[in-house]
Amino acid sequence: MGKHSMQAQIAAEAGDLVTRLRDKSNGGSTPLKLHDAFDVCVLNSLWAMLAGERFALDDRRMMELIDIVHVSFRVIDTCGGLLNQMPFLRFIAPGWSGYTRLLSVLNRLWGFLRETIDEHRKTLSPGCTRDFIDSYLEEMEVRKNETDSTFNDMQLVSLCLDLFMAGSETTSSTLGFAVLYMLHHPEVQRRVHDELDGVVGRSNQPTLQHRPRLCYVESVIMEVQRHANIAPLGIAHRALKDTRVMGHFVPEGATVIVSIWSVHMDRKHWGDPEVFRPERFLDGKGGIVHDNWFMPFGFGKRRCLGEILGKSGLFLFFSTLLHNFSISVPPGHRLPSLEGSDGLALSPRPFYASLVPRT
Ligand code: HEM
């Protein structure tokens, strides 16, 4: 997940994002809708890993993919919804229980992924692995005579779906919130600019090599993740057997939900959890405080699989954007709310901002 080639891909997407926003912003005079500004570049960086290609900006399939991801994040809730608790409802009340809607959204995505996999199969050339799908198809071929192999087309579609869904909305929503926090805290934005100018310099672009020296930028991203809580209840799990956790009995089959929000907002631990204060992650000697109570990627065995990739994406997209623009509330607009839209993960509500290119 943290391979060099993927980092280069993210950096290229970040560069494209800046060019696109610069063209649209008219030197800062045209307010831009920014809550979903990161959708295309995040989606492209993931799609490059899975399918080895990036979409042109006006590609019809890309627009469709973005729409599918948005809708599916809104129709599924953190607990998996009513259907997850009572799956039999799909037979007696498919419309009322939301099954018909969910299926129509997922069918679109499955169809798209199957098409992409078929295309890969036709053009696969042994020894020339282009991406994740190629890699999986090659492994399937190696194991085709094993009777207990779990490598099959169905699994591949599901894996692509998991990676794609889990990686896109989480990263782009966090970035949308990061811009919102910069509108609310111009003094933080100024410090981010100062650090970027001092460490990266005006004639370069931020890279992952700069990251260890950009501790304030890092602390801002961490504080956005702590305060915005885009996955407040993580992902629901199910107990596989009767279990005792810290004296509590958890019966087999129970849905287990971890409240990341309550850990990130614990008054006893953080003191002032409701205050946006990046300095809480700085140790005063120019380093980062690694706090066990900070867990935006979950905890334990089933913590986020894409954590390294997610962190690289947040850092490169955020620092590249801030290095190139000053962000402010457009004249005549109100300061947008920090409240998110509900769903499988929280996402920022539509808002506008002015992006003035920095010289
Ligand atoms: C800012 C970015 C991201 C955040 C905040 C985030 C957050 C999370 C959280 C909270 C979980 C649940 C962990 C648990 O149940 O304890 C999770 C799981 C997961 N995430 Fe992420 N994620 C991000 C990016 C990504 C990316 C880029 C990918 C992959 C390309 C990804 C793939 C996954 C997968 C596959 C799981 C399920 C892991 C499992 O059940 O074993 N995530 N993520």
Side-chain angles (χ1 to χ4, degrees):
M1 285 288 180
K3 287 256 176 76
H4 183 73
S5 55
M6 295 195 57
Q7 295 171 13
Q9 180 71 38
I10 300 174
E13 292 298 336
D16 270 17
L17 173 72
V18 166
T19 311
R20 205 159 63 237
L21 292 176
R22 188 170 282 137
D23 289 349
K24 284 200 220 155
S25 72
N26 253 330
S29 57
T30 307
L32 299 178
K33 226 167 41 162
L34 275 197
H35 67 287
D36 56 0
F38 299 94
D39 284 357
V40 173
C41 54
V42 170
L43 187 135
N44 260 338
S45 60
L46 279 172
W47 199 244
M49 164 182 78
L50 290 177
E53 56 170 357
R54 62 190 299 266
F55 295 105
L57 291 182
D58 52 355
D59 192 307
R60 179 192 53 79
R61 291 176 311 154
M62 183 192 65
M63 298 302 177
E64 189 175 342
L65 266 181
I66 290 178
D67 185 51
I68 295 172
V69 175
H70 280 322
V71 174
S72 52
F73 263 75
R74 300 283 78 81
V75 297
I76 305 170
D77 74 25
T78 312
C79 315
L82 197 60
L83 270 168
N84 223 31
Q85 312 308 321
M86 291 180 262
F88 61 83
L89 283 177
R90 70 188 186 279
F91 300 118
I92 29 183
W96 176 78
S97 66
Y99 180 67
T100 313
R101 180 142 188 249
L102 184 61
L103 201 65
S104 80
V105 175
L106 289 180
N107 265 334
R108 281 162 72 199
L109 194 48
W110 280 324
F112 186 85
L113 291 170
R114 285 209 184 93
E115 238 174 66
T116 311
I117 292 167
D118 286 346
E119 208 49 52
H120 271 62
R121 191 168 267 124
K122 280 188 214 143
T123 53
L124 188 67
S125 136
C128 169
T129 315
R130 295 164 295 187
D131 48 48
F132 178 82
I133 296 178
D134 271 4
S135 204
Y136 194 96
L137 290 174
E138 283 167 11
E139 194 66 23
M140 239 167 102
E141 182 60 26
V142 170
R143 292 167 183 264
K144 68 176 179 213
N145 296 324
E146 291 177 15
T147 46
D148 57 349
S149 169
T150 57
F151 283 76
N152 56 48
D153 271 24
M154 184 74 168
Q155 285 285 354
L156 177 54
V157 172
S158 300
L159 272 173
C160 289
L161 187 117
D162 279 355
L163 291 174
F164 194 63
M165 298 277 283
S168 53
E169 188 94 350
T170 43
T171 310
S172 50
S173 290
T174 306
L175 288 162
F177 275 114
V179 173
L180 263 182
Y181 281 91
M182 293 306 98
L183 294 178
H184 278 251
H185 300 278
E187 73 294 352
V188 172
Q189 185 179 173
R190 262 192 301 278
R191 246 186 105 175
V192 168
H193 284 152
D194 289 347
E195 190 178 58
L196 285 167
D197 292 350
V199 174
V200 179
R202 293 303 310 143
S203 49
N204 300 316
Q205 293 301 322
T207 66
L208 287 180
Q209 278 71 47
H210 294 116
R211 195 164 160 204
R213 288 184 290 141
L214 289 169
C215 289
Y216 188 70
V217 173
E218 193 75 33
S219 72
V220 171
I221 296 172
M222 289 168 86
E223 183 67 343
V224 168
Q225 289 198 279
R226 186 196 65 82
H227 202 272
N229 277 304
I230 63 121
L233 299 175
I235 295 179
H237 295 279
R238 195 177 294 286
L240 293 176
K241 54 178 193 218
D242 286 355
T243 312
R244 217 161 249 294
V245 182
M246 298 169 84
H248 299 279
F249 177 63
V250 183
E252 177 183 339
T255 301
V256 180
I257 297 165
V258 176
S259 175
I260 295 176
W261 183 90
S262 66
V263 180
H264 283 174
M265 287 292 154
D266 188 277
R267 185 164 301 284
K268 270 200 228 126
H269 181 75
W270 302 101
D272 54 356
E274 64 294 330
V275 179
F276 182 79
R277 194 167 57 79
E279 292 77 11
R280 70 176 81 246
F281 290 110
L282 294 175
D283 65 7
K285 291 181 243 149
I288 290 285
V289 173
H290 296 283
D291 189 318
N292 281 342
W293 288 60
F294 175 65
M295 50 175 79
F297 296 95
F299 210 72
K301 272 192 191 170
R302 300 302 297 266
R303 72 186 289 156
C304 177
L305 185 84
E307 178 169 352
I308 297 177
L309 183 63
K311 281 181 176 166
S312 304
L314 292 182
F315 172 80
L316 282 172
F317 286 126
F318 179 72
S319 58
T320 307
L321 186 80
L322 269 283
H323 195 47
N324 285 279
F325 297 103
S326 292
I327 306 173
S328 55
V329 179
H333 286 239
R334 280 216 220 128
L335 184 64
S337 161
L338 287 173
E339 212 169 295
S341 289
D342 239 342
L344 189 53
L346 291 181
S347 54
R349 300 199 170 159
F351 71 91
Y352 283 84
S354 299
L355 293 186
V356 178
R358 301 183 69 228
T359 47

